Each structure stands twice: as structure tokens, then as C-alpha cells.
């Protein structure tokens, strides 16, 4: 009886795990689809391991550093020319225009880097969701397989309740 009860528990667990596995598989497919849609929508490439994303962000960051250096030089030049010449001097006006152009380019590059960072953060979040769902799915799949294997074990049709003991004297007929 105990074996039958345990076998029934194993079968019900296998049924529950199987239904949960189906849910997890659909969740995994949904999260993978969301990641793929995001990557396609934003024209991104999924480089596994994360090394690629650092390279993608390093290029604009270097450009921003260079623009910051140019902006500092342009500000210094504007300050120097404003001391040397009057406010309407052509060299000063030209230096101010150059400074404004560099500031505009700097701000545009800064916004570009911020947008890349936002996209990268969203991509990492979607990748984590996929990884978690894949881990859960794999774990449940393993449990379903283990439970299915243990559920294949059949209980014997006969069992020993008490050990047989040979009698020393006959029990019947009573004399």
C-alpha cells in the first residue's frame, strides 16, 4: 500500500511538473521573443559575454573625451580673445561661433551615449530574463525527466507481509 501511495504521489508530481514545464517553456519563448524584438527594433547585435558592449560604448566615449578637450581649448581661446579684443571683434566672434559649434556637437554626442546606455541597460535586463527563464525551464525539465524515470518503476504484485516459519509440531488434527 505504501508503495502504491508513493507511486501515485510520483505520478501526480510528474503531471504537475509537466504542466509547469509547459508554462515555463512559453515564458522562455516569450522572453526570447521580447529580446529579439528589442534588438531588431534598435538595430543592435547581441554579442554574448558582454565584451562587445564595452567596445560599442568605448568609441563614443573616446569621441566625447576628445570633444571635451576641444571645448576646453575653445573656451580658453575665447577667454583670451575677449581680454585682448573688444566684444565685436571678428576673431572673438569667430572663436565664440567655434565654441558654440563644439558645445552643440558635445551635447549631441552626450545624448547619443546616454541613449546607448539606456538601450544597453534594457538589453541586459531582457537578457537576464531570458537566462532566468532558461535556467528555470532546464531545472524543471530535469526534474520532469527524473520524476518520469522514477514513475516507471512498477510496484510488485505480491509482497511479503510476514516471514514464514516452519512448525515443529502439526497444528491439525487435534488429538
Amino acid at each position: 500500500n505504501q508503495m502504491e501511495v508513493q507511486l501515485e504521489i510520483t505520478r501526480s508530481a510528474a503531471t504537475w511538473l509537466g504542466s509547469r514545464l509547459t508554462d515555463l517553456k512559453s515564458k522562455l519563448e516569450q522572453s526570447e521573443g521580447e529580446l529579439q524584438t528589442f534588438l531588431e527594433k534598435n538595430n543592435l547585435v547581441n554579442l554574448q559575454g558582454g565584451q562587445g558592449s564595452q567596445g560599442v560604448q568605448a568609441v563614443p566615449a573616446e569621441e566625447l573625451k576628445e570633444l571635451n578637450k576641444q571645448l576646453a581649448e575653445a573656451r580658453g581661446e575665447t577667454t583670451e580673445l575677449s581680454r585682448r579684443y573688444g566684444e565685436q571683434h571678428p576673431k572673438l566672434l569667430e572663436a565664440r561661433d567655434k565654441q558654440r559649434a563644439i558645445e552643440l556637437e558635445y551635447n549631441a554626442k552626450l545624448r547619443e551615449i546616454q541613449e546607448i546606455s539606456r538601450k544597453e541597460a534594457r538589453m541586459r535586463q531582457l537578457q537576464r530574463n531570458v537566462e532566468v527563464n532558461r535556467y528555470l525551464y532546464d531545472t524543471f525539465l530535469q526534474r520532469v525527466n527524473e520524476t518520469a524515470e522514477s514513475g516507471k518503476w512498477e510496484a510488485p504484485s505480491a509482497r511479503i507481509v510476514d516471514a514464514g516459519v516452519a512448525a515443529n509440531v502439526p497444528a491439525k488434527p487435534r488429538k
Side-chain angles (χ1 to χ4, degrees):
N1 186 31
Q2 181 67 22
M3 286 184 198
E4 289 175 10
V5 168
Q6 284 190 344
L7 190 58
E8 184 56 37
I9 289 171
T10 302
R11 287 184 182 141
S12 65
T15 303
W16 179 81
L17 284 171
S19 67
R20 185 71 178 118
L21 185 65
T22 305
D23 294 342
L24 289 172
K25 184 175 183 178
S26 65
K27 234 180 177 180
L28 174 61
E29 289 170 351
Q30 179 185 358
S31 62
E32 286 174 337
E34 286 175 2
L35 176 61
Q36 190 60 36
T37 302
F38 178 79
L39 292 173
E40 289 171 0
K41 179 181 173 188
N42 293 291
N43 297 323
L44 298 174
V45 177
N46 185 5
L47 299 172
Q48 296 296 335
Q51 287 90 11
S53 61
Q54 293 171 347
V56 169
Q57 212 170 16
V59 172
E62 287 298 319
E63 291 175 10
L64 188 67
K65 201 183 287 187
E66 180 62 32
L67 284 173
N68 192 25
K69 181 180 168 187
Q70 290 176 9
L71 185 59
E73 290 171 0
R75 284 180 179 158
E77 182 181 353
T78 303
T79 304
E80 181 64 34
L81 290 174
S82 68
R83 286 187 201 145
R84 187 178 300 171
Y85 302 111
E87 290 296 315
Q88 297 302 318
H89 195 275
K91 287 186 178 181
L92 178 61
L93 295 175
E94 183 182 323
R96 284 187 179 155
D97 287 343
K98 180 181 173 185
Q99 180 182 339
R100 278 189 217 106
I102 294 173
E103 284 174 349
L104 289 174
E105 190 177 350
Y106 177 84
N107 290 334
K109 188 59 68 178
L110 186 60
R111 283 190 298 275
E112 178 185 337
I113 290 173
Q114 290 169 340
E115 183 62 27
I116 289 172
S117 293
R118 278 192 291 277
K119 286 179 181 179
E120 192 175 22
R122 178 69 177 142
M123 185 179 75
R124 280 194 308 267
Q125 179 187 19
L126 291 171
Q127 285 174 332
R128 278 192 305 271
N129 286 346
V130 167
E131 289 169 9
V132 166
N133 288 333
R134 183 171 291 127
Y135 174 77
L136 285 172
Y137 177 76
D138 290 344
T139 301
F140 266 77
L141 183 61
Q142 181 182 355
R143 295 288 186 246
V144 164
N145 291 336
E146 289 172 359
T147 305
E149 285 301 315
S150 66
K152 289 179 183 175
W153 177 73
E154 293 293 327
S157 58
R159 59 185 176 175
I160 299 173
V161 177
D162 288 325
V165 178
N168 292 336
V169 291
K172 284 194 175 180
R174 255 181 196 243
K175 294 185 180 182

